[in-house]
Structures are given as structure tokens and as C-alpha cells.
Amino acid sequence: MKFNRHILWGMSKSTLIHIFLMSVAATCLFPIFWMVRSALMTNQTVFVDQSIIPHHLIFSNFKTAWTQGNFAVYFLNSVIYTVCVVGGIVLISSLAAFSFSRLKFPGKNIIFYLFIAAMMIPLPGSFVALFVLMNKLHLINTRFGYILCMINVGLSMSILLLKTFFDKMPHDLEDAARIDGCSKIGIWWNVALPLARPAIAVIIIFNSLNVWNEYILAFLLLGDTNLMPLQRGLMVFQGANSTDYPVLMAGLTMAAVPIIVIYLFMQKHIVKGLSSGAVVG
């Protein structure tokens, strides 16, 4: 009898947990559903049609947003920025983390702690100094200047994550590679990076999300519409289409769908990458 009571309590507890999680998921998914639904309606029916699925689906809103709203340019810019920034972060942070973890040089700990301390400085707190620096370097309103600033934003967290991973890498692997004739760069490329793939996957995911959704730095540094990323272009688009809600929702949908798809396909690497540092080799 007591055993059955424990089983019933366990089942009830599991059911309540699942109901709670499903309610949270529904709460998070409803705005996305409402956004897509509104993008498939007309401006006359968006606040009138109360059906879950619109009676008449209007796909031309996406074409209008893509062509008239300059979304093709914004989308391409975001792809360029994301690829360049994430590639730069992976390259620089992996080299820096490997140096902090496996090499000995004067001031190593101080430099590393400076990188960690940079994580405590909010991005708006550096706007004045950043703008003055970019202005003196003549990098305002340039792709290169924006890419450099975004690489700097993602370095501290990436270095910390990779250094923690490299610290757990067995020294036997490094010694074996050195016996085989590998230099320090060779060990980084042939041994450290392949072992750090789960951690690198986490860095790619987080920084891709950050770059794709970034708005503040783009607002500060980029004024040319031909250089604006998607989120910055959305604000310009919103100002021009503030009363055309379906076209605006179509633009928001096109901005959200790519990063949602990437996250859904790569979400399993997040937990794997964050926990795999415990076992290396």
C-alpha cells in the first residue's frame, strides 16, 4: 500500500512538473505564433480577425518587407557580421586561452584577470571611450570598425570558457605531440582545438545569437543604411512602417526565424559543451 502511494505521488509530481513546463513553453511560444499569424494578414483584418489561423493568408507581406524594406541588404549585412565576428572570436580567444593555460610568460595572471574584469563593465559604460577611439581611428560607419568592436564584446567570456577547458587537457597529450615534432602552434591546432570542439560550439552559438540580435553598437557606430545589420535596420523599417502592422510583423519574422532555426539545431551542444570540460581526452 505504501509502495503504491509512493508511485502515485511520483506520477502526480511528474505530471505537475510537465504541466508547468508546458505552460511556460506555451507562454514563450505564443508571441512568436502571434507574430507569424499577424504577418499573414492584411492591415484591415489584423485586429478584426479573431480566428487562430487567418481565413486568407497574405504571403506578399514578406515580399514587401524584403524588397521595399531593404531587408535583403540588412540580412546580408547580418550574415557577414556574424560570420566575421564569430570567426574572429574563435580564433583570438582560442589562441589567448591556450596561451593563458599552457604557456608561461610574465604578467600572465594579471592579463587574464583584466579580461575577466572586463566582463563586469556594462557595454553602455564604454560608449564614450569606444566612440572616441573609433573616431580617432576613422572607423566610424565602417564594417571593419563594427566587426572589431563586436569581437571585443565576445572575447572575455570565450577566453574564460576555453581556458577552463584547456586547463583540464592532459599534459600527456601535449608531451606526445611535442615528441612527434609539433610546435606550440601545432599543439594548439592539432591537439587543443579538436578536443575543444564542444566548447567552441558553445562559443559559436552564444556569439552568433549575440551578434545577430545586437542593436546598441550598430546604432552607435553605423549610420549608413547599406551597412546596417538586421536589428538596426528593423528600427529604420519600423519607423517607416509603424502603421502597417502585417508588413512590420513579416520583417520581424524574417529577422527571428534564422536564429531560431540555428538554435534548435545546435541547442544540444550548449549543455554538452558546458559540461564536457569535466572530462577531456
Side-chain angles (χ1 to χ4, degrees), residues 29 56 151 162 233-234 244 250 261:
L29 291 174
H56 302 286
I151 289 176
L162 282 173
L234 270 174
D244 197 342
V261 171

Side-chain angles (χ1 to χ4, degrees), residues 185-216:
I185 293 295
I187 295 173
W188 163 76
W189 179 258
N190 295 301
V191 179
L193 284 185
L195 290 176
R197 279 180 297 182
I200 292 174
V202 173
I203 291 172
I204 291 174
I205 294 170
F206 278 120
N207 285 291
S208 295
L209 290 170
N210 184 38
V211 178
W212 191 268
N213 295 320
E214 203 282 322
Y215 168 77
I216 300 178

Side-chain angles (χ1 to χ4, degrees), residues 129-147:
L130 182 63
F131 186 84
V132 171
L133 176 63
M134 291 293 105
N135 190 39
K136 288 184 176 180
L137 295 175
H138 304 288
L139 293 177
I140 296 292
N141 212 29
T142 64
R143 295 185 192 274
F144 186 63
Y146 180 69
I147 289 172

Side-chain angles (χ1 to χ4, degrees), residues 25-202:
T27 303
C28 296
L29 291 174
F30 178 76
I32 299 176
F33 168 76
W34 186 87
M35 177 180 66
V36 176
R37 174 183 175 275
S38 299
L40 296 172
M41 304 176 73
T42 64
N43 210 27
Q44 290 72 32
T45 60
V46 66
F47 294 116
V48 177
D49 191 348
Q50 301 297 324
S51 59
I52 297 178
I53 299 176
H55 296 295
H56 302 286
L57 301 180
I58 310 298
F59 291 97
S60 60
N61 292 326
F62 292 94
K63 181 180 178 181
T64 301
W66 184 262
T67 55
Q68 299 180 15
N70 208 28
F71 261 70
V73 176
Y74 300 148
F75 194 92
L76 178 61
N77 287 337
S78 284
V79 171
I80 293 173
Y81 294 144
T82 302
V83 172
C84 293
V85 170
V86 173
I89 289 175
V90 170
L91 177 64
I92 297 173
S93 64
S94 61
L95 284 169
F98 183 78
S99 300
F100 288 134
S101 176
R102 316 305 285 193
L103 304 181
K104 295 181 181 180
F105 54 90
K108 179 177 74 172
N109 293 331
I110 296 176
I111 298 174
F112 176 70
Y113 291 139
L114 287 175
F115 274 106
I116 302 305
M119 297 175 65
M120 298 184 290
I121 302 175
L123 186 59
S126 62
F127 276 176
V128 175
L130 182 63
F131 186 84
V132 171
L133 176 63
M134 291 293 105
N135 190 39
K136 288 184 176 180
L137 295 175
H138 304 288
L139 293 177
I140 296 292
N141 212 29
T142 64
R143 295 185 192 274
F144 186 63
Y146 180 69
I147 289 172
L148 285 181
C149 291
M150 288 306 301
I151 289 176
N152 179 67
V153 169
L155 275 182
S156 295
M157 184 275 291
S158 303
I159 289 174
L160 176 61
L161 181 61
L162 282 173
K163 182 184 180 300
T164 304
F165 195 95
F166 290 148
D167 285 342
K168 298 179 181 295
M169 188 175 71
H171 286 276
D172 294 343
L173 295 176
E174 188 176 350
D175 294 337
R178 191 176 294 109
I179 292 173
D180 289 339
C182 279
S183 61
K184 289 181 173 62
I185 293 295
I187 295 173
W188 163 76
W189 179 258
N190 295 301
V191 179
L193 284 185
L195 290 176
R197 279 180 297 182
I200 292 174
V202 173

